[in-house]
Amino acid sequence: MVGAMANNGRIRSAFPVMNGSKDLTPDSAPVSTTGSEYGQVEFTREDVEALLNERIKYKSKFNYKERCENMMEYIKRLRLCIRWFQEVELDYAFEQEKLKNALVLNEKHCADMEASLKNKEEELNMIIEQLRKNFESAQIQLAKEQTEKLAANDSLGKEKEARLAVEKAQAGLTEVLGKAQGELQTANQRIQSVNDMYKLLQEYNSSLQLYNSKLQGDLDEVHETIKRGEKERTAIVENIGNLKGQFSALQDQLAASKASQDDIMKQKAELVNEIASLKVELQQAKDERDHHLTEFKTLQTEATKYNDFKDTITELETTCSSQSNQIQELQDRLVSSDRRLQMSDLTTFEKMNEFEDQKQTIIDLKSRVEEAELKLVEGEKLRKKLHNTILELKGNIRVFCRVRPLLPGENNGDEGKTIAYPASLELLGRGIDLMQNAQKHSFTFDKVFLPNTTQEDVFIEISQLVQSALDGYKVCIFAYGQTGSGKTYTMMGKPGNVEEKGLIPRCLEQIFETRQSLRSQGWKYELQVSMLEIYNETIRDLLSTNKEAVRTDNGVSPQKHAIKHDAHGNTHVAELTILDVKSSREVSFLLDHAARNRSVGKTQMNEQSSRSHFVFTLRISGVNESTEQQVQGVLNLIDLAGSERLSKSGSTGDRLKETQAINKSLSSLGDVIFALAKKDDHVPFRNSKLTYLLQPCLGGDSKTLMFVNIAPESSSTNESLCSLRFAARVNACEIGTPRRQTNIIKPLDRLSLG
């Protein structure tokens, strides 16, 4: 390890690479080709032993020149051998460090796999239970239909007596019988599909159990390392808590010292006033004494003349002696007051010194606390950066969870009981707990936004992902959740409110600002925009100027927008309006135009419910003339329609058809995610227009992020739990490593979804 420090921390390459990729074995020593002035020298175990046991032979004992030359040659070979051993030691140390890093990565991977397996097992149990209930309800409905069929046959036999009545009743019963038979056939098909799905789930559950038992053995080996890390983290947290406790105690002492200092200053002021009054009294006593002495002298003079006034003189002497005693007492009191004042000054000086010491101690503790908090912040930033890097390398879909605040009229007392946020350092800002029927369900995502999180804070978390589109990557961000959970607010924001702009306007502002700043570096960008919606499994162009092409009475667009994939992994939509844009103001105008054309409707869950999937696509083409480099990036921002239950939404008529189409497409999205998580050979992208349009984002080389939006009221607990489970499955999917597109491509007449 000395050699490694002498190299200024530079990591040397593995020794087999330096020696023609020859492997090191216990019986053969590595060969070194560096650090030797004789060129390439190879050492084996026999060479080293021969060198150590070598005895130098001399032709003549008195030929000192020959002896010196032989000795120098022997020393050089020994030095070369020592260097060779040092290099071997460095190579072994480097290999050991690589093995440690590989072990840490394997441990982390095992922990992630265990969590995902537990979530999958819970989801499968819930699905099996739901299928059993559906099967039982189908059996009950079948028995009821058979009973109704028998009753209809009995009534038909009884009513044959009257010919006219028989003919009318027969026609009606024939129609009822046909409907019942159709429903019976449909029920049989559903039962058969449920049975097939149940068998598939049983097989998948058994495979998961086998895989779980295999991972359990690997998990036991890494638990000890995880426990040591938890202990170190607990020690750091306790140290910070102790420092904060000391800091608060010193603040209390400082407050007490300030209070005692104020009392001492008040006592000092009182003593100064008392001394001043005593000095005034002393001066008055001195004046009276001088006056009496003057009178005494006058009386003595008169006494020599008039002996009759002796009594008066005696009285004056007595008065003078008493006043002298009073003066002496006042002088003693003045001396004691001076001493008390000196003691007060000394105590005040000591308190001031103690106050300064405590103040310095508090400053030191503050700096230590700030340093500890700064280290925690830096560690959290480093953890996020490494986490994002690992996800990009693994190709996982990143998932952000956002909980909207309670709306007026909703139950405000159940939020704390329904949704909770772990406060531990490991899960802070990443974990969310959902309570359902007194049972806690815990989930961990890349980021969890609390209800009071602003639109700007949310955008800051994804700003680097938007920047990747300018760098030549395919980027896809989509919002998922139930109706009324805040998806459209997250993506579009609140119209007319600058502070509550959504992700789409903020992303466009960032892209145009960055485009302007990169002009000084020689970059020129061209931007193209398209917007579409998928309504009842039909693609509609929201930027079309022909209103009949956008919306008809039956909701079906007369133009057929076919989806096609090319050999480069790009997706093209036929007959789709594509517009070049120069500023964010133009895009804002187009967004308003698309919002007016988008399908919305009123349900019991939402006054303005989105009845279609909205897809905004921005194609970015950049050229740097100085470096002759060209990049092609795509930014897809998608607002999915909300999943809803008919029992809660109360949809009928057109709303009912829309709800069925939305739930079907979202169910197809779930099937695609389920197949990706299982790494099946066949992924059913073609089951719906939505999944086929998102195929490059879900199964390609793009950077993909999903927002799962959650409603906090207790009545939405079931839907929130389903959304969180779906998001956990999405987070576990590996779709491939993102690839930057820097190939020179001709300008496209048509915009692709990437």
Side-chain angles (χ1 to χ4, degrees):
M1 300 309 293
V2 177
M5 295 300 293
N7 262 337
N8 295 324
R10 179 173 58 86
I11 302 299
R12 299 176 62 91
S13 60
F15 195 75
V17 177
M18 297 169 58
N19 294 281
S21 301
K22 295 180 179 179
D23 295 332
L24 299 177
T25 61
D27 297 330
S28 64
V31 182
S32 173
T33 60
T34 59
S36 173
E37 61 188 35
Y38 299 105
Q40 181 174 0
V41 180
E42 298 182 352
F43 286 91
T44 62
R45 190 180 301 277
E46 291 78 7
D47 294 338
V48 175
E49 292 178 356
L51 183 62
L52 295 176
N53 297 326
E54 183 179 351
R55 296 292 183 268
I56 302 175
K57 297 180 181 181
Y58 309 103
K59 296 179 180 180
S60 176
K61 295 182 179 179
F62 302 100
N63 191 349
Y64 293 103
K65 183 177 180 180
E66 180 186 359
R67 296 180 66 180
C68 290
E69 291 177 352
N70 293 335
M71 186 60 68
M72 290 298 293
E73 182 67 24
Y74 183 69
I75 291 171
K76 287 181 179 179
R77 285 186 289 163
L78 285 176
R79 287 179 177 174
L80 182 60
C81 185
I82 291 171
R83 289 179 184 173
W84 175 75
F85 272 113
Q86 290 177 345
E87 290 174 354
V88 171
E89 181 183 5
L90 287 175
D91 296 331
Y92 285 154
F94 178 70
E95 290 294 332
Q96 185 179 6
E97 188 67 22
K98 284 175 61 180
L99 291 175
K100 287 182 180 179
N101 293 335
L103 178 60
V104 172
L105 291 176
N106 288 332
E107 291 172 353
K108 187 178 296 183
H109 181 69
C110 288
D112 295 338
M113 289 297 295
E114 182 188 10
S116 64
L117 285 175
K118 288 183 179 179
N119 292 332
K120 290 176 182 177
E121 185 176 359
E122 293 178 358
E123 293 166 4
L124 287 175
N125 291 332
M126 291 291 292
I127 292 171
I128 291 171
E129 186 66 25
Q130 187 65 30
L131 290 175
R132 287 176 178 172
K133 292 180 180 179
N134 293 337
F135 180 72
E136 292 175 357
S137 63
Q139 284 182 334
I140 294 172
Q141 186 176 1
L142 179 61
K144 186 182 296 184
E145 290 175 352
Q146 289 177 348
T147 305
E148 292 176 355
K149 181 180 177 182
L150 293 176
N153 289 328
D154 293 338
S155 63
L156 182 62
K158 292 179 181 179
E159 293 177 356
K160 284 183 179 180
E161 297 175 355
R163 183 175 298 176
L164 295 176
V166 167
E167 291 177 355
K168 295 179 181 179
Q170 186 176 6
L173 288 175
T174 303
E175 184 179 356
V176 172
L177 181 60
K179 291 182 180 179
Q181 288 178 348
E183 292 177 356
L184 179 61
Q185 186 177 1
T186 304
N188 290 330
Q189 292 177 356
R190 290 181 180 176
I191 293 170
Q192 185 63 31
S193 62
V194 167
N195 290 330
D196 296 338
M197 181 62 71
Y198 181 69
K199 292 179 181 179
L200 291 174
L201 290 176
Q202 281 185 335
E203 295 176 358
Y204 182 66
N205 190 16
S206 61
S207 63
L208 283 179
Q209 289 177 353
L210 293 175
Y211 188 61
N212 189 16
S213 61
K214 181 180 178 181
L215 289 178
Q216 189 65 33
D218 298 335
L219 183 63
D220 294 337
E221 297 178 359
V222 301
H223 271 169
E224 190 65 28
T225 305
I226 295 173
K227 289 180 180 178
R228 286 199 298 268
E230 289 289 337
K231 289 181 180 178
E232 293 177 359
R233 188 193 67 183
T234 305
I236 293 174
V237 173
E238 291 178 353
N239 189 15
I240 293 175
N242 294 332
L243 290 175
K244 289 183 178 178
Q246 294 178 5
F247 174 69
S248 60
L250 289 174
Q251 281 186 332
D252 296 338
Q253 293 180 4
L254 176 60
S257 299
K258 287 183 179 179
S260 62
Q261 182 182 1
D262 294 337
D263 295 338
I264 292 170
M265 294 302 292
K266 290 179 181 179
Q267 293 177 3
K268 179 179 178 181
E270 292 175 357
L271 290 174
V272 170
N273 294 331
E274 186 177 356
I275 290 171
S277 62
L278 289 175
K279 285 182 178 180
V280 172
E281 293 178 1
L282 179 61
Q283 186 64 35
Q284 291 177 356
K286 285 182 179 180
D287 294 340
E288 290 179 359
R289 187 192 64 180
D290 294 339
H291 178 69
H292 288 304
L293 286 174
T294 303
E295 290 180 353
F296 177 72
K297 289 180 180 179
T298 303
L299 290 173
Q300 279 185 342
T301 303
E302 293 178 354
T304 56
K305 297 178 180 179
Y306 306 100
N307 292 326
D308 297 336
F309 298 101
K310 288 183 179 180
D311 296 335
T312 305
I313 292 171
T314 303
E315 291 177 359
L316 290 173
E317 287 178 351
T318 304
T319 304
C320 184
S321 62
S322 63
Q323 289 179 351
S324 298
N325 293 332
Q326 290 179 359
I327 291 171
Q328 186 64 37
E329 291 177 359
L330 291 174
Q331 287 179 344
D332 294 339
R333 289 175 63 185
L334 180 62
V335 171
S336 63
S337 297
D338 289 336
R339 290 178 180 176
R340 289 172 62 188
L341 182 61
Q342 291 177 358
M343 292 295 293
S344 177
D345 292 338
L346 182 61
T347 304
T348 302
F349 181 73
E350 292 177 354
K351 291 291 184 181
M352 289 295 292
N353 291 336
E354 184 179 357
F355 171 73
E356 292 295 333
D357 294 339
Q358 291 180 354
K359 187 176 181 181
Q360 185 62 36
T361 304
I362 291 173
I363 292 173
D364 295 338
L365 287 176
K366 279 184 177 180
S367 63
R368 291 174 63 185
V369 171
E370 289 176 356
E371 289 177 0
E373 291 177 350
L374 183 61
K375 289 180 179 179
L376 286 176
V377 173
E378 291 177 352
E380 181 65 16
K381 289 181 179 178
L382 180 60
R383 185 197 65 77
K384 287 183 179 179
K385 185 177 180 181
L386 293 176
H387 180 69
N388 291 334
T389 303
I390 291 172
L391 287 179
E392 290 182 1
L393 293 176
K394 290 172 64 178
N396 284 46
I397 301 176
R398 275 176 273 187
V399 176
F400 288 174
C401 177
R402 186 178 190 184
V403 182
R404 70 159 173 81
L406 285 167
L407 301 177
E410 293 180 345
N411 190 356
N412 197 21
D414 292 337
E415 181 181 1
K417 301 177 182 178
T418 304
I419 297 177
Y421 309 97
S424 61
L425 289 177
E426 183 180 359
L427 298 177
L428 186 62
R430 298 178 59 241
I432 182 171
D433 297 335
L434 183 69
M435 297 297 296
Q436 183 192 35
N437 299 328
Q439 183 179 3
K440 184 173 74 173
H441 303 272
S442 300
F443 299 91
T444 304
F445 301 107
D446 299 290
K447 183 68 178 178
V448 174
F449 297 104
L450 303 185
N452 58 354
T453 305
T454 62
Q455 296 279 66
E456 183 178 3
D457 295 335
V458 175
F459 175 72
I460 290 174
E461 291 291 334
I462 69 163
S463 59
Q464 293 298 322
L465 194 61
V466 176
Q467 179 65 35
S468 298
L470 282 170
D471 296 336
Y473 289 94
K474 299 176 185 177
V475 178
C476 177
I477 302 174
F478 64 96
Y480 177 89
Q482 71 175 103
T483 298
S485 59
K487 301 182 300 302
T488 304
Y489 175 78
T490 299
M491 301 303 293
M492 301 295 294
K494 189 175 182 180
N497 194 327
V498 179
E499 297 295 329
E500 298 185 27
K501 288 186 296 186
L503 298 184
I504 294 179
R506 293 178 186 271
C507 291
L508 295 172
E509 290 178 358
Q510 177 182 338
I511 287 175
F512 281 104
E513 290 175 359
T514 307
R515 184 184 74 163
Q516 186 66 25
S517 63
L518 290 177
R519 284 187 176 180
S520 59
Q521 302 178 14
W523 282 99
K524 294 182 180 179
Y525 287 94
E526 294 181 358
L527 306 177
Q528 292 180 316
V529 167
S530 72
M531 303 181 201
L532 61 88
E533 70 172 352
I534 302 176
Y535 177 77
N536 286 348
E537 284 299 303
T538 302
I539 295 178
R540 301 201 305 194
D541 186 0
L542 296 180
L543 297 183
S544 176
T545 56
N546 185 3
K547 294 185 178 180
E548 293 181 357
V550 177
R551 187 186 305 273
T552 58
D553 294 337
N554 58 2
V556 179
S557 176
Q559 295 183 358
K560 293 185 178 180
H561 302 284
I563 303 173
K564 297 181 181 179
H565 301 286
D566 60 17
H568 301 287
N570 297 318
T571 301
H572 303 276
V573 180
E575 303 298 331
L576 188 65
T577 302
I578 302 165
L579 299 177
D580 294 329
V581 290
K582 303 296 183 182
S583 65
S584 59
R585 182 175 298 179
E586 293 182 22
V587 183
S588 298
F589 174 78
L590 295 176
L591 282 173
D592 294 338
H593 178 75
R596 289 192 298 269
N597 290 333
R598 188 180 180 188
S599 301
V600 295
K602 180 180 179 181
T603 66
Q604 294 179 5
M605 299 180 64
N606 195 352
E607 288 291 333
Q608 288 187 340
S609 176
S610 300
R611 314 307 296 169
S612 64
H613 307 300
F614 173 71
V615 180
F616 172 89
T617 303
L618 179 67
R619 181 78 181 190
I620 303 171
S621 177
V623 178
N624 193 323
E625 296 178 354
S626 59
T627 61
E628 297 182 355
Q629 185 180 8
Q630 182 176 4
V631 296
Q632 296 284 340
V634 179
L635 177 63
N636 296 314
L637 302 172
I638 303 169
D639 178 19
L640 298 178
S643 60
E644 60 186 47
R645 298 191 179 186
L646 295 177
S647 59
K648 294 187 64 176
S649 64
S651 301
T652 57
D654 292 339
R655 299 288 89 83
L656 177 60
K657 295 180 181 179
E658 294 167 354
T659 301
Q660 292 173 345
I662 291 169
N663 290 339
K664 179 182 177 182
S665 61
L666 294 178
S667 177
S668 299
L669 180 61
D671 294 338
V672 168
I673 295 299
F674 194 73
L676 289 173
K678 290 172 59 180
K679 296 184 178 180
D680 289 344
D681 295 333
H682 172 69
V683 180
F685 286 112
R686 293 180 177 268
N687 285 2
S688 72
K689 293 288 181 66
L690 175 64
T691 55
Y692 193 45
L693 195 65
L694 294 181
Q695 182 174 355
C697 306
L698 299 176
D701 52 3
S702 67
K703 294 184 178 182
T704 305
L705 182 143
M706 185 186 86
F707 276 93
V708 54
N709 293 83
I710 301 300
E713 71 271 13
S714 58
S715 60
S716 300
T717 303
N718 293 330
E719 290 80 0
S720 299
L721 182 59
C722 293
S723 298
L724 291 173
R725 285 174 172 170
F726 177 76
R729 282 206 303 267
V730 172
N731 205 192
C733 290
E734 297 180 3
I735 61 174
T737 304
R739 180 173 56 86
R740 188 183 184 193
Q741 297 189 13
T742 57
N743 297 330
I744 299 177
I745 302 175
K746 295 181 180 180
L748 295 177
D749 296 330
R750 204 176 296 274
L751 182 64
S752 76
L753 280 169

